Structure formats: C-alpha cells, structure tokens
Amino acid sequence: MAFVEPVVLNERGVRLEPLELRHEPGLRAAAADGELWKLRVTSVPEPDQTREYIEAALRMREDGQRFAFAVIDEASDAVLGSTSYHDILPAVKRVEIGYTWYARRVQRSHVNTTCKLLMMGHAFDTLGCHVVGWRTDNYNFASQQAIERLGAKKDGVIRGHALRRDGTIRDTVMYSMRSGEWPEARAQLLYLRARHD
C-alpha cells in the first residue's frame, strides 16, 4: 500500500483531485494563461509537452516518489494548475509539497492558500507526517515569500543542486515545517485567508 493513497480534497470552491491524462486540455490552458513555461525558475510544461508532463507524474506516482494533483475550480470545473506531494519518505513520515503552479488569473488569490491548507492538513492530520518540506529555486523570490508566509522555516541552501530548463545550474532553497508547528501555522493561514476575503 502506498503512503499517499488517491484522495480528493476540497474546500472553498477548490478541489484537488489525482492528476490524470484527462486533465491534459485543462492543464495546457492553465499553463497558457500567462505563458508560464517561459519562466526559467518553474517546472510548468510547454503546451506541446503537457501530456509528457502528466505521464512523468504518473510514473513517479507508480514508483511512490510523487503524487500529483490537478487543481480544479469547483464552480466551472476548470483546471487552475497543479501541485504535488513529492520526495515521499514513508519511513520517516515526511513529504514535500511542490511542482506547484497556477494559471496567472488565480495567482495571488485564495487558491494557493486553500491548496496548501488542504495538503498540509492531509499530510499532518491524515498521513501522520512528522515533517512537510518545500524547495524552490534561489531566484524564485515569489515562491520563497509564499513558502515563508505558510509558516515554514528555512533549512538552508543546497548549492549547485539542479538544472533549470535553460541549462543553468540552480541553488535550491529548502524549507520545512514540523508537526508541532502545524496548529499555529494553520491558525495563521486561516486568519490570512479570512482577511483576503
């Protein structure tokens, strides 16, 4: 049995459902909203590579390394983007949240906060994780700010850690949250989301 089993999570008009090939047209449209694949610090697929992106995520799910979700607007059933659990370590009850991106039209809305609340809640409260982690490109300052806003702590920087799509080598900024920090982080995120409303 896999540590992360298929599950649908939903709240406040946002639904996370296991990413499947049927999401390809919607995922392609979401990426096209803002031409997100042109950003050198993200993993958004180019339109003609959307199917390969989903197939790679499904292979990683089969191997127990990653569990990708499609982010859905419940009112319209439109795909808004994608997010994943990855670097899943059942023995130490740790997952990371990443491969996260959204159509430009929903960036800086309640969508990201809602997704993170759903995923962190599922990781800590259902899966019993001791730690949830995040990683991002050292030049992706927007992502770093968003992770810090969740209440995650910066663990450090792994230098020369991964290749970007343009072939340059990136440093990776690592963050984490322990289970004991989750109740306060959840309260703060709910407060911030209520203020956003």
Side-chain angles (χ1 to χ4, degrees):
M1 186 162 96
F3 184 63
V4 180
E5 291 287 332
V7 63
V8 174
L9 307 170
N10 62 300
E11 183 179 318
R12 293 176 60 92
V14 176
R15 183 173 71 247
L16 299 177
E17 60 187 39
L19 183 64
E20 302 292 348
L21 287 172
R22 65 184 173 82
H23 294 116
E24 181 184 352
L27 207 63
R28 182 186 299 245
D33 181 1
E35 297 184 326
L36 302 177
W37 66 89
K38 292 185 177 178
L39 300 173
R40 68 187 287 262
V41 294
T42 67
S43 61
V44 180
E46 294 183 34
D48 63 350
Q49 296 174 350
T50 305
R51 185 176 186 86
E52 290 83 359
Y53 179 88
I54 296 171
E55 288 172 342
L58 294 175
R59 283 192 300 275
M60 292 174 80
R61 180 189 302 171
E62 188 68 28
D63 294 339
Q65 301 169 6
R66 176 179 171 198
F67 194 97
F69 293 94
V71 180
I72 309 293
D73 174 69
E74 290 196 302
S76 65
D77 231 27
V79 178
L80 303 176
S82 183
T83 189
S84 298
Y85 290 125
H86 65 94
D87 285 76
I88 299 166
L89 301 173
V92 295
K93 294 196 171 182
R94 176 188 168 103
V95 298
E96 292 187 31
I97 297 174
Y99 294 89
T100 301
W101 57 271
Y102 306 104
R104 177 161 289 162
R105 71 184 179 279
V106 296
Q107 292 176 10
R108 302 195 182 285
S109 71
H110 76 288
V111 171
N112 184 52
T113 303
T114 300
C115 288
K116 292 304 184 289
L117 278 164
L118 287 167
M119 293 182 77
M120 293 161 70
H122 186 69
F124 286 124
D125 302 333
T126 303
L127 300 178
C129 287
H130 299 304
V131 178
V132 172
W134 294 263
R135 62 180 69 188
T136 189
D137 190 291
N138 61 306
Y139 284 116
N140 194 340
F141 302 115
S143 177
Q144 291 173 47
Q145 289 175 347
I147 294 168
E148 290 168 9
R149 206 167 31 249
L150 297 173
K153 306 290 188 265
K154 185 175 179 179
D155 296 321
V157 178
I158 303 174
R159 299 180 66 192
H161 183 242
L163 283 175
R164 295 185 184 97
R165 70 172 70 231
D166 65 3
T168 58
I169 300 173
R170 84 174 201 184
D171 294 348
T172 299
V173 186
M174 301 292 294
Y175 292 88
S176 66
M177 181 182 293
R178 297 184 66 91
S179 57
E181 299 164 335
W182 166 233
E184 178 61 24
R186 174 173 42 201
Q188 178 66 7
L189 286 169
L190 289 169
Y191 168 76
L192 291 174
R193 190 174 66 180
R195 284 186 60 197
H196 187 274
D197 293 345

